[in-house]
């Protein structure tokens, strides 16, 4: 679960997708993934997301429905939005609504590690996060961890995930 779609498409990856592909490859039990995001607007920069006054509630609601349908049979969710969630207030609203929309499905939240602010690390910047576990023989891939193990240390406490 990232922040927003960047430049990747069905035919072409981008650096974030490449990083997630490495993580999927280097963690046992995964043979594929679906990239989902807090807000569905495609832009390479979070700063290009709509300003607060232009936030589209309908897009958020549709995104929640899409995510719920997508994860019905795939319960592991890698939280990987980094501190970008702090760049727009509505991104925390999106996150809260996603959590609420899928709560009854009992997802397994995973992280790479935590940022200094206590947010789940973004895959491109995880190398400098606290608690990161490098994948064996790989410079830029990481072992994912269960969020329950570090929940009390994270900024995610305020979202009452558990």
């Amino acid at each position: 679960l990232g922040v927003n779609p960047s430049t990747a498409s069905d035919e072409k990856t981008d650096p974030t997708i490449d990083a997630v592909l490495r993580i999927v490859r280097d963690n046992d039990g995964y043979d594929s993934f679906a990239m989902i995001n807090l807000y569905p607007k495609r832009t390479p920069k979070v700063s290009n997301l709509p300003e607060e006054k232009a936030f589209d509630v309908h897009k958020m609601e549709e995104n929640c429905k899409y995510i719920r349908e997508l994860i019905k049979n795939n319960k592991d969710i890698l939280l990987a939005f980094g501190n970008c969630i702090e760049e727009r207030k509505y991104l925390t609203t999106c996150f809260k609504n996603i959590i609420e929309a899928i709560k009854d499905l009992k997802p397994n939240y995973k992280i790479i590690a935590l940022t200094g602010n206590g947010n789940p690390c973004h895959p491109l910047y995880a190398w400098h996060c606290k608690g990161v576990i490098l994948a064996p023989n790989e410079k830029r891939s990481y072992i994912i961890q269960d969020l329950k193990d570090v929940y009390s240390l994270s900024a995610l406490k305020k979202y009452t995930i558990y």
Side-chain angles (χ1 to χ4, degrees):
L1 178 60
V3 174
N4 62 289
S6 184
T7 59
S9 69
D10 290 345
E11 292 88 33
K12 182 179 162 258
T13 65
D14 65 12
T16 298
I17 296 299
D18 290 339
V20 173
L21 282 167
R22 287 190 299 272
I23 292 166
V24 168
R25 180 197 64 210
D26 293 333
N27 283 269
D28 292 335
Y30 300 101
D31 59 7
S32 62
F33 76 96
M35 190 70 201
I36 55 178
N37 293 283
L38 296 175
Y39 196 75
K41 180 175 178 4
R42 185 176 302 279
T43 175
K45 295 182 180 179
V46 177
S47 60
N48 291 339
L49 286 175
E51 295 294 327
E52 301 296 328
K53 62 184 179 240
F55 169 63
D56 188 336
V57 173
H58 179 70
K59 272 188 182 180
M60 178 191 67
E61 290 168 349
E62 287 299 311
N63 195 40
C64 286
K65 288 178 190 173
Y66 173 78
I67 290 170
R68 181 178 170 76
E69 204 51 43
L70 187 67
I71 70 154
K72 277 185 177 176
N73 299 313
N74 304 294
K75 303 289 191 219
D76 287 355
I77 298 178
L78 177 63
L79 302 176
F81 41 76
N83 291 332
C84 295
I85 194 171
E86 299 172 3
E87 290 192 37
R88 295 282 191 268
K89 288 181 184 175
Y90 62 79
L91 291 174
T92 59
T93 300
C94 291
F95 185 53
K96 288 177 185 178
N97 285 334
I98 291 167
I99 290 168
E100 191 58 35
I102 63 176
K103 185 170 42 176
D104 65 309
L105 299 175
K106 297 183 175 29
N108 304 314
Y109 292 104
K110 307 288 185 178
I111 63 167
I112 299 165
L114 297 173
T115 68
N117 291 3
N119 294 309
C121 290
H122 186 287
L124 289 180
Y125 312 110
W127 56 273
H128 62 82
C129 290
K130 57 186 174 187
V132 70
I133 302 171
L134 291 172
N137 304 317
E138 182 62 51
K139 290 183 181 177
R140 288 293 179 125
S141 186
Y142 312 98
I143 301 302
I144 59 174
Q145 306 170 59
D146 197 311
L147 177 62
K148 289 178 183 174
D149 295 339
V150 294
Y151 184 65
S152 64
L153 304 174
S154 76
L156 299 173
K157 294 185 290 199
K158 63 187 171 199
Y159 302 111
T160 59
I161 293 175
Y162 299 109

